[in-house]
mmCIF file of all heavy atoms in Angstrom:
data_model
loop_
_atom_site.group_PDB
_atom_site.id
_atom_site.type_symbol
_atom_site.label_atom_id
_atom_site.label_comp_id
_atom_site.label_asym_id
_atom_site.label_seq_id
_atom_site.Cartn_x
_atom_site.Cartn_y
_atom_site.Cartn_z
ATOM 1 N N GLY A 117 105.754 100.578 118.200
ATOM 2 C CA GLY A 117 104.601 101.421 117.909
ATOM 3 C C GLY A 117 103.371 100.806 118.548
ATOM 4 O O GLY A 117 103.201 99.580 118.533
ATOM 5 N N VAL A 118 102.532 101.641 119.136
ATOM 6 C CA VAL A 118 101.315 101.148 119.791
ATOM 7 C C VAL A 118 100.105 101.891 119.246
ATOM 8 O O VAL A 118 100.223 102.960 118.647
ATOM 9 C CB VAL A 118 101.389 101.296 121.330
ATOM 10 C CG1 VAL A 118 102.548 100.490 121.894
ATOM 11 C CG2 VAL A 118 101.489 102.750 121.743
ATOM 12 N N ALA A 119 98.939 101.293 119.468
ATOM 13 C CA ALA A 119 97.693 101.878 118.992
ATOM 14 C C ALA A 119 96.592 101.673 120.014
ATOM 15 O O ALA A 119 96.653 100.752 120.840
ATOM 16 C CB ALA A 119 97.284 101.255 117.655
ATOM 17 N N ARG A 120 95.606 102.541 119.928
ATOM 18 C CA ARG A 120 94.405 102.391 120.748
ATOM 19 C C ARG A 120 93.542 101.242 120.233
ATOM 20 O O ARG A 120 92.856 100.564 120.991
ATOM 21 C CB ARG A 120 93.602 103.702 120.729
ATOM 22 C CG ARG A 120 92.425 103.726 121.685
ATOM 23 C CD ARG A 120 91.564 104.956 121.456
ATOM 24 N NE ARG A 120 92.247 106.196 121.723
ATOM 25 C CZ ARG A 120 92.164 106.876 122.868
ATOM 26 N NH1 ARG A 120 91.440 106.397 123.857
ATOM 27 N NH2 ARG A 120 92.812 108.011 123.026
ATOM 28 N N GLY A 121 93.594 101.008 118.910
ATOM 29 C CA GLY A 121 92.752 99.970 118.328
ATOM 30 C C GLY A 121 91.298 100.409 118.269
ATOM 31 O O GLY A 121 90.969 101.593 118.378
ATOM 32 N N GLY A 122 90.426 99.453 118.077
ATOM 33 C CA GLY A 122 89.006 99.755 117.975
ATOM 34 C C GLY A 122 88.214 99.105 119.099
ATOM 35 O O GLY A 122 88.752 98.330 119.897
ATOM 36 N N PRO A 123 86.922 99.393 119.155
ATOM 37 C CA PRO A 123 86.073 98.813 120.206
ATOM 38 C C PRO A 123 85.649 97.395 119.842
ATOM 39 O O PRO A 123 84.463 97.060 119.810
ATOM 40 C CB PRO A 123 84.882 99.771 120.232
ATOM 41 C CG PRO A 123 84.756 100.226 118.797
ATOM 42 C CD PRO A 123 86.179 100.322 118.286
ATOM 43 N N TRP A 124 86.657 96.547 119.583
ATOM 44 C CA TRP A 124 86.371 95.233 119.039
ATOM 45 C C TRP A 124 86.212 94.176 120.121
ATOM 46 O O TRP A 124 86.537 94.396 121.293
ATOM 47 C CB TRP A 124 87.467 94.811 118.059
ATOM 48 C CG TRP A 124 87.850 95.842 117.054
ATOM 49 C CD1 TRP A 124 89.108 96.275 116.745
ATOM 50 C CD2 TRP A 124 86.969 96.603 116.192
ATOM 51 N NE1 TRP A 124 89.066 97.226 115.755
ATOM 52 C CE2 TRP A 124 87.779 97.449 115.403
ATOM 53 C CE3 TRP A 124 85.587 96.632 116.013
ATOM 54 C CZ2 TRP A 124 87.243 98.327 114.456
ATOM 55 C CZ3 TRP A 124 85.045 97.503 115.072
ATOM 56 C CH2 TRP A 124 85.872 98.335 114.305
ATOM 57 N N VAL A 125 85.797 92.995 119.695
ATOM 58 C CA VAL A 125 85.568 91.882 120.612
ATOM 59 C C VAL A 125 86.861 91.432 121.281
ATOM 60 O O VAL A 125 86.825 90.748 122.315
ATOM 61 C CB VAL A 125 84.902 90.705 119.858
ATOM 62 C CG1 VAL A 125 85.889 90.049 118.877
ATOM 63 C CG2 VAL A 125 84.301 89.687 120.801
ATOM 64 N N ASP A 126 88.005 91.824 120.744
ATOM 65 C CA ASP A 126 89.294 91.526 121.380
ATOM 66 C C ASP A 126 89.262 91.889 122.867
ATOM 67 O O ASP A 126 89.795 91.168 123.714
ATOM 68 C CB ASP A 126 90.437 92.335 120.751
ATOM 69 C CG ASP A 126 90.424 92.371 119.241
ATOM 70 O OD1 ASP A 126 89.448 91.899 118.636
ATOM 71 O OD2 ASP A 126 91.390 92.882 118.672
ATOM 72 N N LEU A 127 88.682 93.037 123.169
ATOM 73 C CA LEU A 127 88.661 93.541 124.548
ATOM 74 C C LEU A 127 87.877 92.609 125.470
ATOM 75 O O LEU A 127 88.174 92.497 126.657
ATOM 76 C CB LEU A 127 88.049 94.941 124.570
ATOM 77 C CG LEU A 127 88.803 95.997 123.746
ATOM 78 C CD1 LEU A 127 87.914 97.208 123.483
ATOM 79 C CD2 LEU A 127 90.088 96.407 124.451
ATOM 80 N N GLU A 128 86.880 91.947 124.901
ATOM 81 C CA GLU A 128 86.112 90.960 125.671
ATOM 82 C C GLU A 128 86.910 89.667 125.836
ATOM 83 O O GLU A 128 87.010 89.117 126.932
ATOM 84 C CB GLU A 128 84.797 90.678 124.954
ATOM 85 C CG GLU A 128 83.953 89.572 125.574
ATOM 86 C CD GLU A 128 82.754 89.227 124.706
ATOM 87 O OE1 GLU A 128 82.012 90.155 124.320
ATOM 88 O OE2 GLU A 128 82.575 88.027 124.398
ATOM 89 N N VAL A 129 87.494 89.213 124.747
ATOM 90 C CA VAL A 129 88.216 87.940 124.776
ATOM 91 C C VAL A 129 89.393 88.003 125.745
ATOM 92 O O VAL A 129 89.627 87.072 126.532
ATOM 93 C CB VAL A 129 88.705 87.573 123.364
ATOM 94 C CG1 VAL A 129 89.581 86.325 123.402
ATOM 95 C CG2 VAL A 129 87.515 87.354 122.427
ATOM 96 N N PHE A 130 90.130 89.103 125.729
ATOM 97 C CA PHE A 130 91.319 89.220 126.567
ATOM 98 C C PHE A 130 91.007 89.766 127.956
ATOM 99 O O PHE A 130 91.913 89.933 128.770
ATOM 100 C CB PHE A 130 92.369 90.075 125.862
ATOM 101 C CG PHE A 130 92.821 89.493 124.553
ATOM 102 C CD1 PHE A 130 92.784 90.246 123.392
ATOM 103 C CD2 PHE A 130 93.255 88.184 124.478
ATOM 104 C CE1 PHE A 130 93.190 89.705 122.189
ATOM 105 C CE2 PHE A 130 93.666 87.634 123.282
ATOM 106 C CZ PHE A 130 93.630 88.393 122.125
ATOM 107 N N GLY A 131 89.754 90.071 128.208
ATOM 108 C CA GLY A 131 89.319 90.428 129.548
ATOM 109 C C GLY A 131 89.670 91.825 129.997
ATOM 110 O O GLY A 131 89.588 92.139 131.192
ATOM 111 N N THR A 132 90.058 92.703 129.060
ATOM 112 C CA THR A 132 90.425 94.057 129.467
ATOM 113 C C THR A 132 89.235 95.006 129.481
ATOM 114 O O THR A 132 89.194 95.929 130.296
ATOM 115 C CB THR A 132 91.515 94.610 128.545
ATOM 116 O OG1 THR A 132 91.094 94.476 127.189
ATOM 117 C CG2 THR A 132 92.813 93.840 128.723
ATOM 118 N N GLY A 133 88.285 94.821 128.580
ATOM 119 C CA GLY A 133 87.062 95.611 128.604
ATOM 120 C C GLY A 133 87.143 96.913 127.833
ATOM 121 O O GLY A 133 88.222 97.428 127.528
ATOM 122 N N LEU A 134 85.977 97.455 127.536
ATOM 123 C CA LEU A 134 85.886 98.645 126.699
ATOM 124 C C LEU A 134 86.560 99.858 127.332
ATOM 125 O O LEU A 134 87.102 100.712 126.624
ATOM 126 C CB LEU A 134 84.410 98.957 126.405
ATOM 127 C CG LEU A 134 84.131 100.108 125.437
ATOM 128 C CD1 LEU A 134 84.775 99.840 124.076
ATOM 129 C CD2 LEU A 134 82.620 100.323 125.282
ATOM 130 N N ASP A 135 86.559 99.941 128.662
ATOM 131 C CA ASP A 135 87.164 101.100 129.318
ATOM 132 C C ASP A 135 88.667 101.216 129.023
ATOM 133 O O ASP A 135 89.209 102.325 129.019
ATOM 134 C CB ASP A 135 86.956 101.035 130.833
ATOM 135 C CG ASP A 135 85.529 101.340 131.235
ATOM 136 O OD1 ASP A 135 84.771 101.826 130.370
ATOM 137 O OD2 ASP A 135 85.163 101.076 132.390
ATOM 138 N N ARG A 136 89.326 100.106 128.768
ATOM 139 C CA ARG A 136 90.754 100.168 128.437
ATOM 140 C C ARG A 136 90.963 100.829 127.072
ATOM 141 O O ARG A 136 92.031 101.386 126.809
ATOM 142 C CB ARG A 136 91.358 98.759 128.438
ATOM 143 C CG ARG A 136 91.537 98.175 129.819
ATOM 144 C CD ARG A 136 92.793 98.708 130.496
ATOM 145 N NE ARG A 136 93.985 98.244 129.795
ATOM 146 C CZ ARG A 136 94.565 97.081 130.014
ATOM 147 N NH1 ARG A 136 94.081 96.247 130.934
ATOM 148 N NH2 ARG A 136 95.634 96.739 129.336
ATOM 149 N N HIS A 137 89.969 100.764 126.208
ATOM 150 C CA HIS A 137 90.036 101.412 124.905
ATOM 151 C C HIS A 137 89.718 102.900 125.007
ATOM 152 O O HIS A 137 90.266 103.703 124.248
ATOM 153 C CB HIS A 137 89.050 100.738 123.948
ATOM 154 C CG HIS A 137 88.781 101.493 122.694
ATOM 155 N ND1 HIS A 137 89.689 101.599 121.667
ATOM 156 C CD2 HIS A 137 87.690 102.194 122.294
ATOM 157 C CE1 HIS A 137 89.173 102.325 120.692
ATOM 158 N NE2 HIS A 137 87.966 102.706 121.050
ATOM 159 N N THR A 138 88.868 103.269 125.922
ATOM 160 C CA THR A 138 88.387 104.657 126.016
ATOM 161 C C THR A 138 89.111 105.405 127.129
ATOM 162 O O THR A 138 90.205 105.937 126.923
ATOM 163 C CB THR A 138 86.866 104.654 126.226
ATOM 164 O OG1 THR A 138 86.548 103.825 127.373
ATOM 165 C CG2 THR A 138 86.150 104.081 125.005
ATOM 166 N N THR A 139 88.523 105.435 128.302
ATOM 167 C CA THR A 139 89.072 106.263 129.377
ATOM 168 C C THR A 139 90.388 105.736 129.929
ATOM 169 O O THR A 139 91.197 106.502 130.466
ATOM 170 C CB THR A 139 88.061 106.376 130.529
ATOM 171 O OG1 THR A 139 87.722 105.053 130.990
ATOM 172 C CG2 THR A 139 86.788 107.086 130.058
ATOM 173 N N GLY A 140 90.655 104.444 129.808
ATOM 174 C CA GLY A 140 91.870 103.887 130.391
ATOM 175 C C GLY A 140 93.093 103.961 129.502
ATOM 176 O O GLY A 140 94.204 103.649 129.970
ATOM 177 N N PHE A 141 92.929 104.392 128.246
ATOM 178 C CA PHE A 141 94.072 104.361 127.335
ATOM 179 C C PHE A 141 95.194 105.318 127.753
ATOM 180 O O PHE A 141 96.369 104.920 127.741
ATOM 181 C CB PHE A 141 93.620 104.656 125.905
ATOM 182 C CG PHE A 141 94.732 104.545 124.905
ATOM 183 C CD1 PHE A 141 95.259 103.304 124.572
ATOM 184 C CD2 PHE A 141 95.267 105.673 124.297
ATOM 185 C CE1 PHE A 141 96.291 103.183 123.657
ATOM 186 C CE2 PHE A 141 96.305 105.562 123.381
ATOM 187 C CZ PHE A 141 96.828 104.313 123.055
ATOM 188 N N PRO A 142 94.929 106.570 128.122
ATOM 189 C CA PRO A 142 96.039 107.443 128.540
ATOM 190 C C PRO A 142 96.822 106.880 129.719
ATOM 191 O O PRO A 142 98.054 106.970 129.754
ATOM 192 C CB PRO A 142 95.336 108.758 128.897
ATOM 193 C CG PRO A 142 94.088 108.748 128.072
ATOM 194 C CD PRO A 142 93.651 107.318 128.060
ATOM 195 N N GLU A 143 96.121 106.287 130.689
ATOM 196 C CA GLU A 143 96.833 105.713 131.829
ATOM 197 C C GLU A 143 97.722 104.552 131.396
ATOM 198 O O GLU A 143 98.878 104.430 131.835
ATOM 199 C CB GLU A 143 95.833 105.223 132.884
ATOM 200 C CG GLU A 143 96.513 104.626 134.108
ATOM 201 C CD GLU A 143 95.547 103.956 135.065
ATOM 202 O OE1 GLU A 143 94.364 104.378 135.115
ATOM 203 O OE2 GLU A 143 95.964 102.997 135.745
ATOM 204 N N SER A 144 97.214 103.700 130.517
ATOM 205 C CA SER A 144 98.020 102.572 130.029
ATOM 206 C C SER A 144 99.246 103.070 129.277
ATOM 207 O O SER A 144 100.352 102.532 129.433
ATOM 208 C CB SER A 144 97.174 101.677 129.123
ATOM 209 O OG SER A 144 96.148 101.031 129.834
ATOM 210 N N LEU A 145 99.061 104.101 128.460
ATOM 211 C CA LEU A 145 100.186 104.648 127.702
ATOM 212 C C LEU A 145 101.236 105.228 128.645
ATOM 213 O O LEU A 145 102.446 104.994 128.468
ATOM 214 C CB LEU A 145 99.682 105.715 126.730
ATOM 215 C CG LEU A 145 100.744 106.377 125.854
ATOM 216 C CD1 LEU A 145 101.409 105.352 124.937
ATOM 217 C CD2 LEU A 145 100.136 107.508 125.032
ATOM 218 N N ASP A 146 100.810 105.973 129.643
ATOM 219 C CA ASP A 146 101.768 106.571 130.578
ATOM 220 C C ASP A 146 102.529 105.501 131.360
ATOM 221 O O ASP A 146 103.725 105.651 131.640
ATOM 222 C CB ASP A 146 101.046 107.514 131.534
ATOM 223 C CG ASP A 146 100.601 108.799 130.860
ATOM 224 O OD1 ASP A 146 101.150 109.132 129.789
ATOM 225 O OD2 ASP A 146 99.688 109.466 131.383
ATOM 226 N N LEU A 147 101.846 104.417 131.722
ATOM 227 C CA LEU A 147 102.519 103.339 132.437
ATOM 228 C C LEU A 147 103.550 102.659 131.532
ATOM 229 O O LEU A 147 104.670 102.329 131.974
ATOM 230 C CB LEU A 147 101.494 102.329 132.946
ATOM 231 C CG LEU A 147 102.037 101.151 133.752
ATOM 232 C CD1 LEU A 147 102.870 101.619 134.942
ATOM 233 C CD2 LEU A 147 100.887 100.260 134.215
ATOM 234 N N LEU A 148 103.204 102.460 130.269
ATOM 235 C CA LEU A 148 104.155 101.902 129.311
ATOM 236 C C LEU A 148 105.397 102.785 129.211
ATOM 237 O O LEU A 148 106.529 102.294 129.264
ATOM 238 C CB LEU A 148 103.490 101.759 127.942
ATOM 239 C CG LEU A 148 104.397 101.321 126.785
ATOM 240 C CD1 LEU A 148 104.773 99.854 126.925
ATOM 241 C CD2 LEU A 148 103.714 101.581 125.441
ATOM 242 N N LEU A 149 105.181 104.087 129.079
ATOM 243 C CA LEU A 149 106.307 105.015 128.950
ATOM 244 C C LEU A 149 107.163 105.019 130.221
ATOM 245 O O LEU A 149 108.395 105.101 130.146
ATOM 246 C CB LEU A 149 105.797 106.423 128.657
ATOM 247 C CG LEU A 149 105.040 106.589 127.333
ATOM 248 C CD1 LEU A 149 104.501 108.012 127.210
ATOM 249 C CD2 LEU A 149 105.932 106.243 126.146
ATOM 250 N N ASP A 150 106.538 104.919 131.363
ATOM 251 C CA ASP A 150 107.284 104.873 132.620
ATOM 252 C C ASP A 150 108.153 103.621 132.676
ATOM 253 O O ASP A 150 109.326 103.671 133.072
ATOM 254 C CB ASP A 150 106.310 104.903 133.789
ATOM 255 C CG ASP A 150 107.006 105.100 135.126
ATOM 256 O OD1 ASP A 150 108.060 105.760 135.163
ATOM 257 O OD2 ASP A 150 106.502 104.587 136.140
ATOM 258 N N ALA A 151 107.592 102.492 132.232
ATOM 259 C CA ALA A 151 108.341 101.235 132.266
ATOM 260 C C ALA A 151 109.507 101.245 131.280
ATOM 261 O O ALA A 151 110.494 100.528 131.473
ATOM 262 C CB ALA A 151 107.412 100.063 131.972
ATOM 263 N N LEU A 152 109.409 102.058 130.231
ATOM 264 C CA LEU A 152 110.466 102.136 129.212
ATOM 265 C C LEU A 152 111.425 103.301 129.437
ATOM 266 O O LEU A 152 112.304 103.536 128.622
ATOM 267 C CB LEU A 152 109.829 102.282 127.821
ATOM 268 C CG LEU A 152 109.007 101.102 127.325
ATOM 269 C CD1 LEU A 152 108.322 101.458 126.016
ATOM 270 C CD2 LEU A 152 109.886 99.862 127.144
ATOM 271 N N SER A 153 111.268 104.006 130.548
ATOM 272 C CA SER A 153 112.013 105.240 130.775
ATOM 273 C C SER A 153 113.472 105.014 131.128
ATOM 274 O O SER A 153 114.280 105.944 131.048
ATOM 275 C CB SER A 153 111.347 106.039 131.898
ATOM 276 O OG SER A 153 111.488 105.358 133.140
ATOM 277 N N GLY A 154 113.817 103.815 131.543
ATOM 278 C CA GLY A 154 115.173 103.544 132.008
ATOM 279 C C GLY A 154 115.298 103.551 133.512
ATOM 280 O O GLY A 154 116.364 103.211 134.043
#
Side-chain angles (χ1 to χ4, degrees):
V118 299
R120 187 189 296 263
W124 313 130
V125 70
D126 315 8
L127 299 163
E128 175 187 309
V129 174
F130 299 127
T132 52
L134 185 59
D135 287 348
R136 287 280 294 275
H137 166 73
T138 54
T139 57
F141 184 71
E143 181 188 331
S144 293
L145 180 63
D146 287 341
L147 182 55
L148 174 72
L149 297 176
D150 190 31
L152 295 174
S153 68

